[in-house]
Amino acid sequence: MPVTSVVKDPEALTMTVVADFAASRERLWEAYTDPRQIEKFWGPPEWPATFLRHDVFPGGRSHYVMTGPDGTVSAGYWEFLSVDPGHRFEVRDGFADGEGNENDDMPSMRMVFEFEDTDTGSRMTTTTSFGSADQLQQLLDMGMEQGMKAAMAQIDDVLADLASFAASRPAEAQILNDTQVRVSRVIRGSVDQVWRAHHDADLMKRWMLGPDGWAMPVCEVATAVGERYRYMWEPETGGEAGFGFEGEVLEMDAPHRTVTTEQMIGLEGEPNRNELTLTPMGDRTLLVVVITYPSREVRDMVLGTGMVGGMETSYARLESEVLG
């Protein structure tokens, strides 16, 4: 059990949890900022979590759902108030509905996560501040302390699993639910570099090509909310029909997050919703795209086209030909 102390202060309205780990501070930070990793331990063992959004930058938000053994779902959110990469972040934590909207009928709290080096690895201190003594007691009665201990007891296994989250791994897709898929890839380059590569037409034409032998003659980039983009590809040698996608920017918080619609040119129907999030991981960047499809059938059809393999080919080209 990594938790070494729990101190509740009714006068200060705080609860402070200290946990020690054999892993480095950098590795521990990575586990908390990568949605693939934090969801493996954030919920208690019998209530596993799925992070549908995890934006580790000031003003960013997280949305997660925990599913109980009987199928009951409990959702929560984080609003990131401050972030000192590698060392500290502060969030407003509360309950949410399935869409990530705040549940104002339930209390929210502030949580500060601090990461430091120790002689044997790292230490994390989590300080939770409550709005009132009644709120503190209400959340303790709901099992908050026991839940945090149970969740932290799972972290060591995640920290020891280096292979699953190695920077050298290709792009991978994870099905989150009936309509959502998360594609993740660690890119060799800074957040600013990867962001620019996604929003500079000249750079995009060099890497966003999928399999070899294709060109991108049309690359109309959108750089603000409300603007529309249009991308088209065609084979360099002819013989196959080209295709393209278009859409609109719904949200943008450069250089960390952008949300767009996406629809194949010429096809009718409801568009996909793509949420791109970039998170610094030392001198690399964790790129996460959460794609929401109109239906499970559309989700499975798109995955069956080899989409993820094409994305990996493009990301590898991004590293080798653009970021070098």
Side-chain angles (χ1 to χ4, degrees), residues 2-7 15-21 25 28 32 87-90 111-118 122-128 148 152:
V3 174
T4 56
S5 72
V6 178
V7 177
M15 180 174 72
T16 302
V17 179
V18 177
D20 289 292
F21 303 90
R25 173 179 52 80
L28 183 61
Y32 269 85
H87 299 278
R88 182 184 188 275
F89 64 81
E90 180 179 1
M111 300 183 72
V112 176
F113 296 78
E114 297 177 285
F115 302 77
E116 58 183 307
D117 297 306
T118 65
S122 58
R123 170 172 294 167
M124 184 181 69
T125 302
T126 305
T127 303
T128 305
M148 289 184 68
M152 287 189 180

Side-chain angles (χ1 to χ4, degrees), residues 94-256:
F95 295 85
D97 62 20
E99 302 300 318
N101 302 306
E102 299 179 19
N103 181 351
D104 294 330
D105 295 330
M106 296 295 290
S108 65
M109 65 211 87
R110 288 184 178 239
M111 300 183 72
V112 176
F113 296 78
E114 297 177 285
F115 302 77
E116 58 183 307
D117 297 306
T118 65
D119 291 339
T120 57
S122 58
R123 170 172 294 167
M124 184 181 69
T125 302
T126 305
T127 303
T128 305
S129 299
F130 303 88
S132 67
D134 289 342
Q135 186 188 95
L136 186 157
Q137 192 59 51
Q138 178 186 3
L139 290 166
L140 290 178
D141 290 344
M142 292 173 63
M144 179 180 176
E145 179 181 346
Q146 293 82 358
M148 289 184 68
K149 288 181 176 179
M152 287 189 180
Q154 305 171 94
I155 300 181
D156 283 336
D157 288 341
V158 176
L159 297 177
D161 184 5
L162 297 176
S164 297
F165 310 106
S168 59
R169 286 180 62 87
E172 60 178 332
Q174 296 167 281
I175 294 176
L176 301 179
N177 51 46
D178 282 349
T179 60
Q180 291 185 299
V181 172
R182 181 174 63 214
V183 179
S184 307
R185 172 68 144 80
V186 176
I187 305 292
R188 187 178 63 251
S190 69
V191 166
D192 287 333
Q193 288 176 312
V194 177
W195 178 268
R196 181 167 176 260
H198 280 78
H199 295 88
D200 181 307
D202 291 336
L203 295 180
M204 292 171 67
K205 288 181 179 181
R206 292 171 55 190
W207 72 269
M208 193 180 284
L209 303 174
D212 292 336
W214 286 76
M216 192 179 187
V218 177
C219 185
E220 300 170 3
V221 181
T223 58
V225 172
E227 292 185 359
R228 295 190 62 84
Y229 68 88
R230 184 179 177 90
Y231 309 145
M232 297 191 71
W233 294 267
E234 62 183 23
E236 294 177 325
T237 58
E240 294 183 67
F243 67 97
F245 291 96
E246 59 186 356
E248 178 184 355
V249 178
L250 303 178
E251 301 174 27
M252 182 170 285
D253 196 333
H256 298 285

